Amino acid sequence: MKKIELEIKALSPLAIGQKKPGGNISEVETFIPGGVIRGAVANQILQQSNQEITDGDDFHQLFLSENPAIFQNAYPGHGKIKSEVRVIPATALSSKIKPGFKISKGDGVFDTLIDRFCAENYGQVYDFNSPVQPQNNELEGDRVDNFTGFYSQNISNYEKKAANSRLLTRVGINRRRATSEESVLYSIQVLNESKQHQKEAVIYKSAILVPDDLAASLHTFIDNHQDNFRLGGSISRGLGKVKITAKKPSDIKTNLGDRLNQFNVKLRKRWHEWSNIFGIISEIPNNRIYFTIDLQADAILTENWQYTTVISEAMLKEFTGLENSSLKLHTVYSSYDYRSGWNAAWGLMKDIELVTNRGGVYLFSVDKEKEKIWIDKLTELELKGVGERTSEGFGQVQICNEFHNVLREEAV
């Protein structure tokens, strides 16, 4: 497969909401879902071609085949940021008093996965607090809380990324008279558009993973119609105008092997440090290789026809196609929510799905002798994702997110 990187600039407010079950309030998303991008591209192709869909044509292969193109979520960044925008893991913590990365004048953010794993295996309870801030002689001990959102990394600097939103108030229209309706006002929550005078305009970064034989034609189509796409709702009211810039298709590169090695080196080093603290002689098995699965998007997971928020050992074997009795699940950090949406083709609401929230973390281990096989399969998993509706951006994962290597005393 080839990768087409996308940069999406909002030229007008974006009404991209997710209606909560049982309520009448639609909250705006903090990103652009892959399904929204997928629908906009499909709609534009159909408008331009004015043809019916037939089995085997390019449209069918891109959107309706067994292995369709995968439209990843677009997360907020800035045009000057060259690194990918990632989801902060659920195991990340920061001070409750001054939360945030140090580059943003916060007390720093650190990850707790490795320390929690070591503490549990040594039979200890570790209550985290904020680390010492020697530059201003502050004492350690501040309470900490979960730190969520998106981030990008530039060398050793970590920066949180976010899109701003606001409420737009509109006047209701009388459909019979086509005039404003008295005493009828409503508000739409929207993502802000990029202003011309902004020094750092918000750019949403995404990617499409597409079969090799269709990559060039899809890139050409997006490039030729980059100003014609509309995303989200209320398009007839002037919302949703964007400019999509598509980079040329490129081969998909991965450094999974390096990430896996760095994580295991860090884990074993920390294990021995815990051993020295408590004077307990305990060796982490040398014949095991540890890895994490980090959800970079909400995932729709089912096991035995029931929704779940846990990627079990049996599920991972099914995802990878490997039967390995040595696979072991050690730790799970996950939560859930509900998602729905609008199917423009059918003119109907999509089913309400229970989803596992992005940022979820799963720690596994396998026999080291199977490392090469698992690296190959986990590389495929990073491309295809896990669970259902992966072509719409659900279930995207990263193996051994580098942020797990940021320990408490190394807060960034």
Side-chain angles (χ1 to χ4, degrees):
M1 299 184 77
K2 296 289 187 180
K3 182 178 183 180
I4 302 176
E5 296 184 15
L6 304 179
E7 292 186 354
I8 303 174
K9 183 177 182 179
L11 303 180
S12 67
L14 304 181
I16 300 175
Q18 288 291 342
K19 187 174 181 179
K20 300 297 182 181
N24 57 3
I25 298 177
S26 181
E27 298 179 0
V28 72
E29 285 283 14
T30 57
F31 63 98
I32 302 175
V36 172
I37 303 171
R38 182 175 185 263
V41 173
N43 182 60
Q44 192 65 28
I45 291 175
L46 291 176
Q47 286 184 7
Q48 296 297 323
S49 63
N50 196 26
Q51 296 178 357
E52 294 184 359
I53 303 171
T54 59
D55 290 343
D57 64 7
D58 289 354
F59 184 90
H60 189 276
Q61 292 184 53
L62 279 172
F63 299 100
L64 303 174
S65 64
E66 292 184 359
N67 297 302
I70 297 174
F71 290 76
Q72 297 182 347
N73 294 339
Y75 294 138
H78 295 298
K80 68 177 184 179
I81 299 297
K82 296 183 179 180
S83 60
E84 291 188 53
V85 179
R86 293 291 185 185
V87 176
I88 299 174
T91 49
L93 298 178
S94 186
S95 169
K96 290 177 70 70
I97 299 175
K98 292 179 61 179
F101 292 108
K102 291 182 178 180
I103 194 174
S104 303
K105 309 303 181 183
D107 277 351
V109 185
F110 60 96
D111 193 83
T112 61
L113 175 67
I114 291 179
D115 276 327
R116 281 173 168 166
F117 174 72
C118 294
E120 290 173 3
N121 281 273
Y122 278 105
Q124 303 294 327
V125 177
Y126 189 12
D127 187 14
F128 292 91
N129 56 13
S130 185
V132 177
Q133 301 297 324
Q135 67 273 19
N136 49 19
N137 296 319
E138 290 184 8
L139 297 177
E140 63 178 329
D142 289 347
R143 296 176 62 188
V144 292
D145 200 358
N146 293 99
F147 190 75
T148 60
F150 311 106
Y151 77 96
S152 66
Q153 180 184 2
N154 184 13
I155 308 177
S156 59
N157 292 327
Y158 290 77
E159 186 176 358
K160 187 173 183 178
K161 301 299 178 184
N164 296 323
S165 63
R166 70 180 189 270
L167 284 174
L168 294 180
T169 301
R170 293 288 186 263
V171 178
I173 301 298
N174 185 300
R175 295 183 181 275
R176 182 170 58 86
R177 299 195 306 268
T179 59
S180 60
E181 184 70 24
E182 184 178 355
S183 302
V184 175
L185 296 174
Y186 65 94
S187 295
I188 305 174
Q189 191 175 16
V190 297
L191 294 175
N192 290 338
E193 68 275 31
S194 296
K195 304 289 186 180
Q196 292 184 352
H197 62 271
Q198 285 180 320
K199 294 182 179 180
E200 294 184 354
V202 175
I203 301 293
Y204 297 88
K205 295 181 178 291
S206 176
I208 307 173
L209 306 184
V210 60
D212 293 356
D213 56 333
L214 298 175
S217 58
L218 180 59
H219 169 264
T220 300
F221 179 84
I222 296 176
D223 191 53
N224 291 339
H225 299 86
Q226 57 183 290
D227 296 315
N228 299 335
F229 295 102
R230 300 293 182 270
L231 302 180
S234 300
I235 293 175
S236 61
R237 299 176 177 88
L239 306 185
K241 182 175 175 59
V242 298
K243 179 176 182 178
I244 300 181
T245 303
K247 296 184 179 180
K248 291 184 177 181
S250 60
D251 293 328
I252 300 173
K253 300 178 181 179
T254 180
N255 61 343
L256 192 152
D258 293 337
R259 280 183 272 129
L260 187 67
N261 180 64
Q262 291 171 9
F263 178 76
N264 278 268
V265 169
K266 199 80 171 183
L267 175 61
R268 294 180 184 280
K269 179 181 178 182
R270 197 62 163 185
W271 182 278
H272 291 302
E273 290 176 356
W274 275 83
S275 176
N276 294 333
I277 291 174
F278 295 105
I280 302 173
I281 300 176
S282 176
E283 294 293 335
I284 190 170
N286 290 323
N287 63 338
R288 305 288 293 179
I289 189 78
Y290 295 82
F291 64 90
T292 67
I293 295 180
D294 298 89
L295 293 182
Q296 294 298 304
D298 296 336
I300 304 173
L301 305 173
T302 57
E303 185 175 23
N304 297 327
W305 306 98
Q306 293 182 329
Y307 287 110
T308 180
T309 61
V310 176
I311 300 178
S312 65
E313 296 162 1
M315 291 171 64
L316 184 55
K317 292 176 184 178
E318 182 181 350
F319 292 151
T320 58
L322 291 176
E323 287 294 334
N324 190 327
S325 59
S326 71
L327 180 66
K328 184 177 179 180
L329 173 62
H330 295 278
T331 308
V332 174
Y333 298 92
S334 65
S335 59
Y336 71 91
D337 203 345
Y338 295 93
R339 289 288 183 274
S340 182
W342 182 260
N343 190 317
W346 289 95
L348 297 170
M349 289 289 294
K350 293 181 179 179
D351 291 337
I352 295 174
E353 305 274 13
L354 185 146
V355 300
T356 304
N357 289 330
R358 61 184 178 273
V361 179
Y362 307 87
L363 177 63
F364 290 89
S365 71
V366 294
D367 282 342
K368 196 169 184 178
E369 62 181 17
K370 303 291 185 179
E371 179 180 355
K372 180 62 171 65
I373 299 174
W374 275 92
I375 286 179
D376 294 339
K377 291 298 181 180
L378 292 175
T379 300
E380 295 180 12
L381 203 66
E382 281 193 333
L383 298 180
K384 298 179 180 179
V386 298
E388 302 175 7
R389 293 169 59 183
T390 53
S391 62
E392 301 175 33
F394 287 98
Q396 297 304 304
V397 300
Q398 185 187 26
I399 309 301
C400 293
N401 188 319
E402 296 96 330
F403 202 84
H404 294 309
N405 300 331
V406 181
L407 303 180
R408 178 177 173 274
E409 63 272 20
E410 303 165 352
V412 293

